[in-house]
Amino acid sequence: MSSGVAVDLENITIRFGDFTAVKDANVNIKGGDFFSFLGPSGCGKTTILRAVSGFLEPSEGRVLIGGNDMAGIGPNKRPTALIFQNLALFPLMTVWENIAFSMEVAGASAKERRKRADELLDMIALPGQGDKLPSELSGGQKQRVAIARALCANPDVLLLDEPLSALDLKLRQHMRTELREIQKRVGITFIYITHDQGEALTMSDNVAVMKAGIIDQIASGHEIYDDPATPFVASFVGENNVFRGKIKSIDGGHAIISTNRSGDLVARITPAQVGNLAVGDEAMMFVRPEAFEVAPEQGSTGQNLVSAKAVNEEFEGNSFSVFLEGDGGKLIKMSVPNLGQDRISTQGHDLTLRYEPSNAVVMPAGELASE
Amino acid sequence: MSSANLIRIALGAYLLIFFSYLLGPLVVMSLTAFNSSGFPSVSPWACFTFEWFGVLFEDKHIRDGLFYSVVIGIGTVILSVSMGLAASIVLTQVWPRFRSTYYTMIIAPILIPGVVLGISTLVFWDRVGRFLGVEDGSFLYGLFHNGIFLTILGQSSFIASYAMLVFVARLQRFDPGLTEAALDLGATHTQAFRKILLPFMRPAIASASVLAFLASFENYNTTTFTIIDYKTLTTVLAQKVRLGINPSISSLAFIIITLTVFAALIFEAVQRNKARKDAVRRGKLKTGDKGILPSFLRGNPAAIMLVLLSFVVIAMVGTAQSYSPEQCKIRVKEERQIEIQKRIDALKKARAEQQATEAAEAEAEIPAKPAPATSGAFGNVFAPDNLTTEEEEVDVAPEAGSGAFGNVFAPGNLSDEGAEAEEPPKPEAGSGAFGNVFDPGNLSGGD
Ligand SMILES: Nc1ncnc2c1ncn2[C@@H]1O[C@H](COP(=O)(O)OP(=O)(O)OP(=O)(O)O)[C@@H](O)[C@H]1O
Ligand SMILES: [Mg+2]
C-alpha cells in the first residue's frame, strides 16, 4: 500500500457566482497525517474536499498533491478517494462488487476482484457478507463498506466527508477508533471533515477550524483546545465561558481585563495573539467550565476570583454541571468532577469561583460561534 | 358497521362495473372470433368454429401489415428510447434557468396532432432530399421516400417524448453522487454511464420500450401519411373496415390478448420467482422442503396459471386441427331456411289480406318475385336479427329490402355460403336509394 502523500492548498478561493464559499485558504497537510477540517454547517468544508478530489476547480489558487499541481486533472485521474457524506454505495451492486469497483473499471478479472474484496471484508470485520446488497446492511456496516471501497482503489489520500454523521453515538465512538486504527495501518493521508469537534479532537493529528469560508486556526487538537487563536475557535471547540471587557494592563504574557460585569480579571494572552493586544482594546476572556473551582476562602475578592450564585445543577455521569448567575445576570458554567456519593449540592448558594490564570486566555474581541 | 358494509358493497359493485367496462369489450370480441356467423357477433350464435383463424393466417395483407408493424415498432423503440434517454439526461444537466423552456420544447410533440406530425415528416424529408439535391433513383432519394424510414422517424418524434417522461421520473430518484463516486474510483465517464446510470435506468428503459412499441404498433394517424406504399396492421385494418369486416379480425384480437396475458403472467412469474430466491438467499425461507411442485411453481400462482393457460392454448390448437363445424353449419342453415320460409309465408299471408282490401294498387308487385325468396333469405340471416329498424320494414318492400341490407355485409362474409347469392335481388324502387349508399363496388372484395 502506498505511503502518505502531502496535500497542499495554496491560496485557494472558491466562488459560486457572487458567493465566496472558501476564501484564501492555505493548508499544508503532511504525508500520512490524519487531518481534520472542523466547522459549522455550510462553512465550506465539503467545498474544499471537492476541490481536492477534483469535482470542482478552485477559482483562484492551486491544489498540490504530492507536490504536483492538480489543475485540469479530473477526479478519476487523481490519487484520491472520497468517502461521501451520504456514502454513495452503488445500490444495485453487491457489497463485494461495490468494494472492487475501482478494480473493475481498471479491467481486473472477476477472480482477482473477488479475492481483493474478501481481503478487505476481513479487514473491516465483515467476512462473508460480500454477497449482500448495500440495502441489507446496517448503517455502521455500510460505513465500513464505503471505507473498504475507497481503500481498494489504493489512494494516496483518503478524503472523508462526515462519514460518521448518520450513526448513533455508540457506533460513532466505535467507528472513530476503528478509522484511526485503519489509518495507522495503511499509513496514507486522511483528510477528514466533521462538524463534531469531539471527533476532530480524538482522531486528528492536526485540525483546521473553519468559519464561513475562512480558516481561523490550524493546529493540533490540544493546541486548539488550550490556545484557541480567535474567539470563534474558543467558543466553537469545547465549552467556554466568555467575559467581555477592555484591556487594563499588559504584563509579559498576561493581561488584566476589566470586564463589564465581573470586575478586573487576569488571563494569559493566547499565543497567536501576542503583540496584537494593547491597553484599552476591546477584548474577550475565555475560561473553560472545568477550569473553575470553588475558592477555598469564600467571600474574598481577587483578580482570579468570580462571585456568582449557583442556580441549577445537572448530573452528567462523570461530572456535574453547575450553572451560576454572576453580577448583572451573567451566566457561568462550572464543571465539577463526580468523585463519589458525599458531595454536597451547592444549589442556591452564593459562591466565589477561582481559576488558574494560565487556564484563562484573552484575545481581541471578535465573532463567537453561534450557540 | 352497516355503513362499512355498505361501502364494501358499493366498492364491490364499482369494481364489477369498472372491470366489465374495461374487459367486457375484449371478452365479447374474443367470443366473436369463434362464431361462424359472417359478421362479428355473439348474440345469434351460429356455430363454434376456428375457421376465422384460418382466414386470418391466409390473409396476406394482414400478414404483411403485421410484419411491417413489428419492424417499425422495433425501429421506433430503438430510436425513441435512445432519444428519450438522451433528452432526459440533458434535462438534468442543462442550466436550471433553461430547464422549463427545454422541457416544454421536448414535450411539445405530444401536444401536436399526429396528423400534423405525419404530414410534416413527409414534407420535411422530401425538402431535405431536394435541398441536398438527391436524384430520383439514388439511395438517399429512396430512403427519404421510404415508408418504413419515414414512419419510424415520424412516430419517434412524439414517442420519444413519452419515453422521456418515463426516464425523467426515474432520473429524479437518481443520486448524482453515485456517478461522482464512480468517477472518483477511477471510472471514465463512459464507464460511469454504463455501469452506474444505465443499470439504474434499466427498469425505466424496459417500460419505455414496451410503451414505445405499443404506441408505435397502434399508431394510425401519423402512420397513414408516412407509410406511403407499405402497410402496417393499423392501415390494413382501416382499409378492411371500409370494405366490411369479418371475424378474422376478432381472431387477431384474440391472439393479441392471449399473447398479452402470457407476457403479463411470465413477467409476474419471473418476478415472484426472483423474490422467492431472494428470500431463500436471505435465509427467510427454507429451500430444503420437498414439495410435489417443481421449485419454480411453488408459491407462485402466476407460474401455475401460466402453465394452465399453456395447456388450454395447446388443447385449443389441437382441437382446431380436427374439429369441423360443417355439420352444425348445415343444421343452422336449415333452421334459418325454415324460419325464413315461415316469415315469408306470414308476410305473404299479410299481403294477401292487404291485397284483398286494397286490391287495385298492389296487384302488380307481389306475385312478381317468388324466386328471389331464397337469396333474399340470406340477407335475412343478418338483417332482421341484427339490424332491425322499424323503418326498414315499413319503407322497403320486404324481400328486396332485407336483401339489399344484408348485402352490405354480405359477399365478404358469406364467401362460403354466398355463392348462391351472387346475384342480389333487384331492389325495388323504394329501396334503390338504400342499396346505392353501400355501392356494390365496395363489395367486390368478397368475391
Ligand atoms: N454548487 C453550489 N452552488 C452554489 N453554492 C454552493 C454550491 N455548493 C455549495 N455551495 C454553498 O457553499 C457553502 C459551503 O457549502 P459546503 O457544502 O462546503 O458546506 P459544508 O461545510 O460541507 O456544510 P455541511 O457541514 O452542512 O456539510 C454553502 O453556503 C453552500 O450553500
Ligand atoms: Mg458538507
Side-chain angles (χ1 to χ4, degrees):
Chain A
M1 219 161 270
S2 46
S3 63
V5 149
V7 177
D8 299 288
L9 308 182
E10 289 183 353
N11 304 88
I12 297 264
T13 297
I14 300 169
R15 290 189 205 93
F16 297 113
D18 301 335
F19 175 73
T20 306
V22 176
K23 199 172 167 206
D24 203 24
N26 262 300
V27 186
N28 302 305
I29 302 169
K30 290 201 302 283
D33 232 10
F34 195 119
F35 190 95
S36 292
F37 283 92
L38 173 64
S41 185
C43 70
K45 307 182 295 289
T46 299
T47 306
I48 286 192
L49 217 56
R50 291 175 67 81
V52 175
S53 57
F55 289 115
L56 55 85
E57 290 286 335
S59 318
E60 284 166 31
R62 300 198 299 165
V63 176
L64 303 168
I65 298 179
N68 302 317
D69 190 347
M70 286 289 125
I73 297 179
N76 45 5
K77 300 265 160 30
R78 296 194 184 191
T80 58
L82 174 59
I83 295 176
F84 287 77
Q85 201 156 0
N86 63 357
L87 302 183
L89 293 179
F90 305 130
L92 302 178
M93 297 184 192
T94 59
V95 165
W96 80 265
E97 285 171 328
N98 260 283
I99 292 177
F101 184 79
S102 54
M103 299 174 73
E104 186 186 341
V105 296
S109 75
K111 213 169 145 197
E112 280 175 83
R113 287 187 277 140
R114 185 78 218 218
K115 187 161 162 284
R116 179 90 176 95
D118 284 339
E119 281 170 24
L120 283 161
L121 279 167
D122 282 342
M123 192 198 86
I124 58 170
L126 287 177
Q129 311 258 39
D131 287 316
K132 283 189 173 174
L133 287 174
S135 56
E136 296 164 9
L137 297 179
S138 75
Q141 290 172 333
K142 279 186 204 163
Q143 184 65 62
R144 284 182 271 176
V145 172
I147 294 167
R149 184 178 72 175
L151 290 176
C152 186
N154 282 331
D156 295 329
V157 181
L158 189 66
L159 309 168
L160 304 99
D161 191 353
E162 305 201 33
L164 306 186
S165 57
L167 306 184
D168 63 63
L169 182 70
K170 259 272 164 316
L171 195 54
R172 197 153 69 221
Q173 284 169 343
H174 173 72
M175 287 304 299
R176 279 181 195 168
T177 13
E178 206 152 299
L179 267 182
R180 188 72 230 225
E181 263 168 29
I182 290 172
Q183 196 257 344
K184 283 196 182 124
R185 210 173 323 149
V186 298
I188 60 176
T189 312
F190 271 44
I191 303 183
Y192 191 91
I193 280 196
T194 180
H195 60 244
D196 178 331
Q197 24 138 332
E199 225 162 271
L201 299 182
T202 11
M203 299 201 288
S204 325
D205 297 315
N206 282 296
V207 181
V209 182
M210 287 185 75
K211 167 191 79 184
I214 295 168
I215 296 178
D216 263 20
Q217 186 172 12
I218 302 176
S220 69
H222 220 282
E223 206 176 319
I224 291 218
Y225 194 80
D226 291 338
D227 298 323
T230 64
F232 175 80
V233 176
S235 54
F236 186 72
V237 180
E239 284 180 296
N240 241 330
N241 293 298
V242 56
F243 296 84
R244 296 159 206 261
K246 283 198 169 62
I247 298 292
K248 190 173 176 191
S249 68
I250 294 177
D251 165 27
H254 286 74
I256 291 180
I257 170 172
S258 87
T259 64
N260 300 340
R261 293 187 284 198
S262 308
D264 290 356
L265 294 174
V266 64
R268 185 167 59 89
I269 300 176
T270 192
Q273 300 289 3
V274 171
N276 289 345
L277 276 175
V279 173
D281 281 359
E282 290 286 341
M284 285 179 172
M285 187 190 93
F286 294 90
V287 184
R288 299 224 176 251
E290 65 271 18
F292 278 122
E293 59 183 2
V294 179
E297 315 95 39
Q298 289 291 304
S300 58
T301 55
Q303 287 182 333
N304 63 343
L305 299 175
V306 180
S307 59
K309 179 178 177 174
V311 291
N312 201 2
E313 218 176 72
E314 279 174 10
F315 175 60
E316 306 213 330
N318 57 349
S319 66
F320 293 91
S321 292
V322 182
F323 297 92
L324 307 104
E325 217 174 83
D327 295 339
K330 166 148 194 71
L331 273 177
I332 297 169
K333 183 179 175 188
M334 175 172 71
S335 173
V336 183
N338 178 9
L339 299 176
Q341 296 289 339
D342 40 352
R343 198 187 92 92
I344 301 154
S345 170
T346 52
Q347 194 159 341
H349 293 269
D350 282 315
L351 296 175
T352 303
L353 306 181
R354 199 192 83 89
Y355 63 90
E356 279 302 319
S358 61
N359 286 339
V361 288
V362 63
M363 58 194 80
E367 203 183 313
L368 298 175
S370 53
E371 244 74 299
Chain B
M1 270 298 126
S2 75
S3 82
N5 276 342
L6 213 64
I7 287 174
R8 202 168 300 159
I9 290 167
L11 206 65
Y14 169 76
L15 281 180
L16 197 73
I17 293 169
F18 180 71
F19 278 115
S20 18
Y21 163 73
L22 210 61
L23 304 176
L26 298 182
V27 171
V28 171
M29 180 145 196
S30 302
L31 287 179
T32 63
F34 298 98
N35 188 357
S36 68
S37 163
F39 181 76
S41 64
V42 181
S43 63
W45 185 265
C47 292
F48 183 79
T49 177
F50 292 105
E51 67 189 294
W52 301 119
F53 290 88
V55 173
L56 175 73
F57 296 137
E58 235 103 272
D59 191 326
K60 186 167 174 339
H61 294 289
I62 289 192
R63 272 204 324 249
D64 285 356
L66 205 55
F67 173 73
Y68 288 122
S69 277
V70 170
V71 169
I72 288 168
I74 291 171
T76 305
V77 165
I78 293 170
L79 188 62
S80 56
V81 164
S82 28
M83 289 204 301
L85 187 59
S88 63
I89 291 172
V90 170
L91 184 69
T92 60
Q93 305 289 323
V94 86
W95 222 9
R97 208 175 307 164
F98 293 134
R99 208 163 280 169
S100 68
T101 318
Y102 174 82
Y103 185 77
T104 317
M105 245 165 57
I106 291 285
I107 280 307
I110 294 183
L111 308 175
I112 296 173
V115 177
V116 175
L117 288 178
I119 297 174
S120 33
T121 305
L122 200 62
V123 173
F124 177 76
W125 287 99
D126 181 56
R127 288 299 130 125
V128 168
R130 274 181 213 198
F131 180 75
L132 295 177
V134 296
E135 278 165 33
D136 198 344
S138 71
F139 169 73
L140 276 183
Y141 184 89
L143 186 67
F144 293 163
H145 294 83
N146 177 296
I148 294 180
F149 172 78
L150 291 178
T151 305
I152 290 176
L153 288 179
Q155 291 185 349
S156 297
S157 62
F158 73 95
I159 294 177
S161 304
Y162 285 122
M164 190 199 74
L165 287 181
V166 175
F167 292 137
V168 165
R170 179 87 181 151
L171 265 182
Q172 268 165 357
R173 285 190 287 138
F174 182 69
D175 173 12
L178 294 181
T179 300
E180 291 193 340
L183 290 178
D184 191 61
L185 292 167
T188 62
H189 284 271
T190 322
Q191 282 174 324
F193 175 76
R194 213 158 41 79
K195 291 181 188 291
I196 307 298
L197 186 60
L198 216 50
F200 178 82
M201 296 302 286
R202 195 163 291 151
I205 290 174
S207 38
S209 301
V210 172
L211 193 83
F213 185 82
L214 293 182
S216 160
F217 198 78
E218 58 110 57
N219 181 270
Y220 176 69
N221 35 7
T222 302
T223 310
T224 189
F225 290 98
T226 53
I227 195 69
I228 316 180
D229 49 351
Y230 286 89
K231 49 184 150 248
T232 66
L233 188 62
T234 50
T235 58
V236 169
L237 291 188
Q239 240 159 18
K240 283 212 178 288
V241 169
R242 235 178 287 150
L243 301 181
I245 54 173
N246 67 35
S248 66
I249 286 172
S250 303
S251 61
L252 176 64
F254 180 76
I255 291 174
I256 291 176
I257 292 169
T258 313
L259 288 181
T260 312
V261 173
F262 257 109
L265 283 179
I266 288 173
F267 178 79
E268 181 68 18
V270 168
Q271 217 63 7
R272 278 179 182 257
N273 195 41
K274 218 199 262 168
R276 189 183 150 276
K277 279 197 180 139
D278 265 7
V280 170
R281 192 166 56 80
R282 282 185 223 166
K284 288 199 185 117
L285 204 75
K286 278 213 196 79
T287 174
D289 56 349
K290 276 173 269 155
I292 329 157
L293 293 170
S295 69
F296 181 72
L297 295 180
R298 245 176 270 158
N300 196 340
I304 292 170
M305 276 171 68
L306 190 63
V307 172
L308 291 182
L309 187 64
S310 309
F311 280 134
V312 169
V313 168
I314 291 168
M316 256 173 76
V317 173
T319 7
Q321 302 303 319
S322 54
Y323 175 80
S324 166
E326 286 315 314
Q327 205 67 35
C328 162
K329 269 194 190 162
I330 293 166
R331 205 192 64 234
V332 167
K333 201 158 135 188
E334 281 167 358
E335 277 171 15
R336 288 279 155 125
Q337 299 251 13
I338 293 165
E339 191 187 323
I340 286 157
Q341 198 55 51
K342 266 190 211 155
R343 282 202 189 194
I344 288 170
D345 290 346
L347 276 168
K348 274 185 180 164
K349 223 168 132 191
R351 275 292 160 101
E353 281 167 17
Q354 218 178 2
Q355 225 173 4
T357 48
E358 304 171 24
E361 299 156 67
E363 234 175 19
E365 295 173 40
I366 297 160
K369 304 273 175 190
T374 26
S375 52
F378 272 111
N380 274 329
V381 173
F382 309 101
D385 302 297
N386 304 339
L387 300 161
T388 321
T389 51
E390 303 294 344
E391 277 177 70
E392 182 189 339
E393 304 209 33
V394 181
D395 288 354
V396 181
E399 312 98 289
S402 51
F405 211 84
N407 275 325
V408 173
F409 308 100
N413 303 342
L414 299 168
S415 46
D416 50 345
E417 314 167 56
E420 303 163 48
E422 67 225 333
E423 180 81 325
K426 275 251 152 62
E428 284 175 30
S431 61
F434 206 77
N436 281 336
V437 173
F438 307 96
D439 186 345
N442 293 343
L443 307 172
S444 54
D447 299 327

